[in-house]
Amino acid sequence: MRRSHRSAPSFFHCMLTLVMTWTIVAAPSLHAQKSGPTENEVKSAYLYNFGKFVEWPAKATSVGEFFPICVLGDDTFGSTLETTIARESISGKKVLVKRVPKPQDALSCRILFISSSQQSRLKEILAELDNTSVLTVSDMPEFTRRGGMIQFVVEANKVRFEVNLTSAERTGLTLSSQLLKVAIDVKRSTQPGG
Amino acid sequence: MLWIRGNSIAKRLTTMNVLVSGAALLISCAAFVAYDRVSFRQTMVHNLSIQAQIAGSNSVSALFFDDPQTAEGTLSALKAAPNIISAGIYTPEGRPFAVYRRDGAAENIELPPIPSGQIEAHWFKDGQLVVVRTIVFQEKPAGTVFIRSDLQEMSHRLKRYAVIAALVLFASLIAALLVASVFQRAVAEPIVHLATIAGIVSRDKDYSVRATSTGNRDEPDILIQAFNEMLEQIQQREGALQRAQHELEQRVRERTTQLAVTNKELDLRNREVERATQMKSKFLASMSHELRTPLNAIVGFSDLLAEGTPGQLNDKQKRFVNHIKQGSAHLLQLINDILDLSKIEAGQLEMRTEEFLVKEALPEVLSTIHPLAMAKNIRVEQKVESKSLVKADRVRFKQILYNLLSNAVKFTPRGGQIKIECVDDWDFVRVSVTDSGIGIRSEDQKVIFDEFRQVEGSAGGAQEGTGLGLAITKRLVEQQGGRISLESEFGKGSRFTFSLLAVEPTSEGHAVVEPAIASVITASGRLTPLVLVVDDEGPARELLASYLEPEYRVATAESGVEALKKAQQLRPDAITLDVLMPGSNGFETLAALRKNPETANIPVIILSIVDQKQVGFALGATDYLIKPVRKPALLETIRRHVPLPADDDSSILLVDDDPKALELLEETLRAAGYETQGVRSGKRALEVLANKAVGAILLDLLMPGMDGFEVIRHVRQEATLKELPILVMTGKNLTAEEAALLSHETQGLLQKNGSWQQQLIVEVRRVIEGRKLAKSAGQS
């Protein structure tokens, strides 16, 4: 969203530009209450943003020319995910949204959103994904405590997230300090198989 | 740099030093500060840019995950930099995301735009630096960071620089002053020293002072050396000048002393000369007196002998007596001349200048000369062309003319001729006397006017003369502003020419009337008057008495006292009075006579060797004759003063207070056949006129008591006397008024000097004849 700047913008022009950007591209902001982005939109954007602050091991990065972001379980996003991030790319790779019915299908994904519907099978899913370099994200409670990597938390109408750094590092992922900085909680202790 | 000019060279040097170093320092400081400012700005921009970058990249995740608190936390780290006023992070859309403020106050900061194509921009504005930087994450703009910083650090830095610059400037000025003082010592001091010395020299005129050399062979030192050399030269010259002046003063002093001595000597000598002159004068006076006394006797008695009064002499005796007479006459002349000359030389000769015609004065001289010329059968011609009046003393003029003429007669042989010419020559009247005499040698012509110079070896044998005549003549001419000259050829004659100042004729009173035909009038008889002769010397009394006796009765007195007594007793008609007498002398006697009213009017004729006429006349003397007195002179004088009775109306009344003049007039007129009566005062004249008829009056003007003018007035008031001819004869210088009055009231005017006899006769004849003609015309 690069703002082009002209040599002598009139006040009116500035205002127009401001309003247009505000209305059209203000999706990630939660400051806009009414016309602001929905929780799903924010979560979609965050999924995509996580990709920017995480480094995958070399074996994972060499896979294909896409950056697959997958959803496991009930798709609460609907089409939101596609509309928000479909045409983006991360590290030169095109983002690809995939829906996977079972954890085995998710092995080639970079980021896997695990729907709350999978809460009961979480242990098996995480176990399935052990030893793979897939960043696991979910909005189910206790996700990070149970071994998930990033868990969305809504606090004061604002989407925040917690990080279980140990889980992430175990799979060879490197989380940027920048990412950790904005996380509301970073867990370092693990409960394997929990 | 006008203000530098008036100051001393030292000050100028110092000022220049300070100025130069100050200027250099200021320029370098300014350059340094400018450079520092620029580089500091760059550094500042650089630093701020880095800070912006750090803040930006630290805020990337916060931007992505919409976490302004984290971003603000990041920004609050900028607190460490106190120069940062505010900072802000904006979303890529330009929405403010996180803000930091140094003072904590809320402020909405509008994001300044970044020029396209750049990720960073900065502005210096209002003493602040603003840096705006795009936050780039993975080659994409993730937002914008904005930092605003104040420039306090820079201004502090500049202030510090200013203080340092001032300190450096101050220090360098002091250094410059120190350097200047060193310079001053090296350059200015010698010059100032030189100036001081020059000032001392010109003020005190002290050329002995010297400027001190600096020792280094630089220009000021050369200047000082040259100055010293110059002073040396001046000092030398000054010294020489002073020595010369000193010598000069010394010399002047010596000369002055010499002069004073000389002056003193001269003064002494002058006094001696004066005394000698006085003594000479005294000597001459007493000499002439002593000479005259015996001469008096010689002349007098030889006269008596020659006249045969004491008895007839034989021819031989007569001849001898004549020799004596001639010799004594010569001697008398000599004495008179010497006295004249000494008077002239002593400056005692008084000149009474008047204006008269030569024509008038000439006859009087000629009447004296004619007999001499006739005796030698010399023809005297006169040719008077002059019409101007001569301005001279009349008596002296005649004396000059007489001397020349008598000289001419003397040196002209028998049968020769003498010519008198008189012409006007501009402002002068030139009179020349030419003779056909022996002439004068050219070598003698130069000395002819000197005293006692007589031409030797004259053809005519021994010549009479004192040798003083021409000397006196020359002096008389020159004393009246004239010239005398001589032309002569030896053997052919001489021509003496003198010129005297002339004036144009003005008064008609000087008109000369041609002579008329004479008529003869018979003389009437008269009484024999009494003359009292007063002299202490018997021979003198005897001599005088013998002179007078045929015509007068004579009484004698031996002393003043006797004279007074006899005068009172006898009431003589005249008295002859000697001056030098024992007891009461002549002057005292005269005074006594005049004091006594009974004797006051008796004419007193002083006969004396002493020439003190002024005293005599002042005391009231009627006349004054100097001994030796010759008989004719005495008789003439007595006659003049002794009134003679007359009753013919053709007689002439002579009025003159001067007995000599009176006698001369009487003698002259009687010789011409007129009867005369002389009176000596105007009053007396009026008395006579009241009692008897006269043919004419011959009147003097200046008389004591009633003067001539008054007499004329009285006469003209009398009806019977209105037509009476009056001839005025005077020695007075007439004013124009007086001349006018006289020409109106009288019939003729004669000047009273010298030989005027001829003219008198002419005048008298004219008026008497005129009256007679008038009378006869009236009768017929």
Short mmCIF file of all heavy atoms in Angstrom, two decimals, chain B residues 345-368:
data_model
loop_
_atom_site.label_atom_id
_atom_site.label_comp_id
_atom_site.label_asym_id
_atom_site.label_seq_id
_atom_site.Cartn_x
_atom_site.Cartn_y
_atom_site.Cartn_z
N GLU B 345 82.64 135.67 9.47
CA GLU B 345 83.11 134.34 9.81
C GLU B 345 82.52 133.85 11.12
O GLU B 345 82.28 132.66 11.29
CB GLU B 345 84.64 134.33 9.87
CG GLU B 345 85.22 134.63 8.50
CD GLU B 345 86.55 133.96 8.29
OE1 GLU B 345 87.35 133.93 9.24
OE2 GLU B 345 86.77 133.47 7.16
N ALA B 346 82.28 134.75 12.01
CA ALA B 346 81.69 134.36 13.30
C ALA B 346 80.18 134.21 13.16
O ALA B 346 79.50 133.85 14.12
CB ALA B 346 82.03 135.40 14.36
N GLY B 347 79.66 134.49 11.99
CA GLY B 347 78.23 134.36 11.76
C GLY B 347 77.43 135.44 12.46
O GLY B 347 76.27 135.28 12.77
N GLN B 348 78.08 136.54 12.74
CA GLN B 348 77.40 137.59 13.50
C GLN B 348 76.82 138.68 12.60
O GLN B 348 76.24 139.64 13.08
CB GLN B 348 78.36 138.23 14.50
CG GLN B 348 78.66 137.31 15.67
CD GLN B 348 79.84 137.81 16.48
OE1 GLN B 348 80.51 138.78 16.10
NE2 GLN B 348 80.10 137.14 17.59
N LEU B 349 77.04 138.48 11.31
CA LEU B 349 76.57 139.51 10.39
C LEU B 349 75.07 139.31 10.16
O LEU B 349 74.63 138.26 9.71
CB LEU B 349 77.31 139.39 9.06
CG LEU B 349 77.15 140.58 8.13
CD1 LEU B 349 77.92 141.78 8.67
CD2 LEU B 349 77.62 140.22 6.74
N GLU B 350 74.31 140.33 10.48
CA GLU B 350 72.86 140.21 10.29
C GLU B 350 72.49 140.66 8.90
O GLU B 350 73.04 141.60 8.36
CB GLU B 350 72.12 141.09 11.30
CG GLU B 350 72.05 140.46 12.66
CD GLU B 350 71.44 141.43 13.66
OE1 GLU B 350 70.54 142.21 13.24
OE2 GLU B 350 71.87 141.41 14.83
N MET B 351 71.54 139.93 8.31
CA MET B 351 71.07 140.27 6.97
C MET B 351 69.63 140.72 7.07
O MET B 351 68.80 140.01 7.63
CB MET B 351 71.14 139.03 6.08
CG MET B 351 72.57 138.62 5.75
SD MET B 351 73.26 139.71 4.51
CE MET B 351 74.91 139.08 4.44
N ARG B 352 69.35 141.87 6.58
CA ARG B 352 67.96 142.33 6.55
C ARG B 352 67.48 142.24 5.12
O ARG B 352 67.70 143.13 4.32
CB ARG B 352 67.84 143.76 7.08
CG ARG B 352 67.95 143.84 8.59
CD ARG B 352 67.81 145.26 9.08
NE ARG B 352 66.55 145.85 8.65
CZ ARG B 352 66.47 146.91 7.85
NH1 ARG B 352 67.55 147.47 7.38
NH2 ARG B 352 65.28 147.40 7.53
N THR B 353 66.84 141.15 4.80
CA THR B 353 66.46 140.91 3.41
C THR B 353 65.24 141.76 3.05
O THR B 353 64.28 141.82 3.80
CB THR B 353 66.11 139.43 3.19
OG1 THR B 353 67.19 138.66 3.69
CG2 THR B 353 65.88 139.11 1.73
N GLU B 354 65.34 142.45 1.93
CA GLU B 354 64.18 143.18 1.41
C GLU B 354 64.20 143.08 -0.11
O GLU B 354 65.13 142.53 -0.69
CB GLU B 354 64.23 144.64 1.85
CG GLU B 354 65.52 145.34 1.51
CD GLU B 354 65.54 146.76 2.06
OE1 GLU B 354 64.61 147.51 1.74
OE2 GLU B 354 66.49 147.11 2.79
N GLU B 355 63.14 143.56 -0.72
CA GLU B 355 63.06 143.48 -2.17
C GLU B 355 63.19 144.88 -2.76
O GLU B 355 62.49 145.81 -2.33
CB GLU B 355 61.70 142.85 -2.57
CG GLU B 355 61.63 141.39 -2.16
CD GLU B 355 60.19 140.89 -2.15
OE1 GLU B 355 59.33 141.57 -2.74
OE2 GLU B 355 59.96 139.82 -1.57
N PHE B 356 64.06 145.03 -3.71
CA PHE B 356 64.27 146.36 -4.31
C PHE B 356 64.80 146.21 -5.72
O PHE B 356 65.25 145.13 -6.12
CB PHE B 356 65.24 147.18 -3.45
CG PHE B 356 66.56 146.51 -3.27
CD1 PHE B 356 67.63 146.76 -4.15
CD2 PHE B 356 66.78 145.61 -2.23
CE1 PHE B 356 68.84 146.12 -3.98
CE2 PHE B 356 67.99 144.99 -2.05
CZ PHE B 356 69.03 145.24 -2.94
N LEU B 357 64.73 147.33 -6.45
CA LEU B 357 65.23 147.32 -7.83
C LEU B 357 66.69 147.70 -7.84
O LEU B 357 67.12 148.57 -7.08
CB LEU B 357 64.46 148.35 -8.66
CG LEU B 357 63.05 147.94 -9.12
CD1 LEU B 357 62.33 149.16 -9.66
CD2 LEU B 357 63.12 146.83 -10.15
N VAL B 358 67.42 147.06 -8.70
CA VAL B 358 68.85 147.39 -8.84
C VAL B 358 68.99 148.86 -9.25
O VAL B 358 69.86 149.59 -8.77
CB VAL B 358 69.51 146.46 -9.88
CG1 VAL B 358 70.97 146.86 -10.10
CG2 VAL B 358 69.41 145.02 -9.42
N LYS B 359 68.06 149.23 -10.10
CA LYS B 359 68.04 150.61 -10.60
C LYS B 359 68.00 151.64 -9.48
O LYS B 359 68.54 152.72 -9.58
CB LYS B 359 66.79 150.79 -11.47
CG LYS B 359 67.06 151.43 -12.81
CD LYS B 359 65.77 151.50 -13.59
CE LYS B 359 65.96 150.96 -14.98
NZ LYS B 359 64.70 150.96 -15.74
N GLU B 360 67.30 151.27 -8.40
CA GLU B 360 67.18 152.20 -7.26
C GLU B 360 68.47 152.25 -6.47
O GLU B 360 68.86 153.31 -5.98
CB GLU B 360 66.06 151.73 -6.32
CG GLU B 360 64.68 151.89 -6.89
CD GLU B 360 63.64 151.25 -5.98
OE1 GLU B 360 63.96 150.93 -4.81
OE2 GLU B 360 62.51 151.04 -6.45
N ALA B 361 69.06 151.10 -6.33
CA ALA B 361 70.24 151.03 -5.47
C ALA B 361 71.49 151.53 -6.17
O ALA B 361 72.42 152.03 -5.54
CB ALA B 361 70.45 149.60 -5.00
N LEU B 362 71.50 151.42 -7.47
CA LEU B 362 72.71 151.73 -8.24
C LEU B 362 73.18 153.18 -8.09
O LEU B 362 74.37 153.39 -7.82
CB LEU B 362 72.45 151.39 -9.72
CG LEU B 362 73.66 151.14 -10.59
CD1 LEU B 362 74.59 150.11 -9.97
CD2 LEU B 362 73.22 150.70 -11.98
N PRO B 363 72.30 154.18 -8.21
CA PRO B 363 72.78 155.58 -8.14
C PRO B 363 73.50 155.90 -6.84
O PRO B 363 74.46 156.67 -6.83
CB PRO B 363 71.48 156.38 -8.24
CG PRO B 363 70.52 155.49 -8.90
CD PRO B 363 70.88 154.09 -8.47
N GLU B 364 73.02 155.30 -5.77
CA GLU B 364 73.64 155.59 -4.48
C GLU B 364 75.10 155.16 -4.47
O GLU B 364 75.96 155.83 -3.92
CB GLU B 364 72.88 154.86 -3.36
CG GLU B 364 71.45 155.34 -3.23
CD GLU B 364 70.62 154.42 -2.36
OE1 GLU B 364 71.18 153.76 -1.46
OE2 GLU B 364 69.39 154.34 -2.58
N VAL B 365 75.35 153.99 -5.10
CA VAL B 365 76.73 153.52 -5.15
C VAL B 365 77.52 154.37 -6.13
O VAL B 365 78.66 154.78 -5.85
CB VAL B 365 76.76 152.03 -5.59
CG1 VAL B 365 78.19 151.51 -5.59
CG2 VAL B 365 75.90 151.19 -4.69
N LEU B 366 76.88 154.67 -7.26
CA LEU B 366 77.60 155.42 -8.30
C LEU B 366 78.00 156.81 -7.81
O LEU B 366 79.07 157.31 -8.16
CB LEU B 366 76.72 155.52 -9.56
CG LEU B 366 76.63 154.22 -10.37
CD1 LEU B 366 75.67 154.40 -11.52
CD2 LEU B 366 78.00 153.80 -10.87
N SER B 367 77.16 157.39 -6.99
CA SER B 367 77.48 158.73 -6.50
C SER B 367 78.78 158.71 -5.70
O SER B 367 79.49 159.69 -5.63
CB SER B 367 76.32 159.27 -5.66
OG SER B 367 76.20 158.49 -4.48
N THR B 368 79.05 157.59 -5.07
CA THR B 368 80.30 157.46 -4.32
C THR B 368 81.46 157.15 -5.25
O THR B 368 82.59 157.61 -5.04
CB THR B 368 80.18 156.32 -3.29
OG1 THR B 368 78.86 156.31 -2.76
CG2 THR B 368 81.18 156.48 -2.19
#
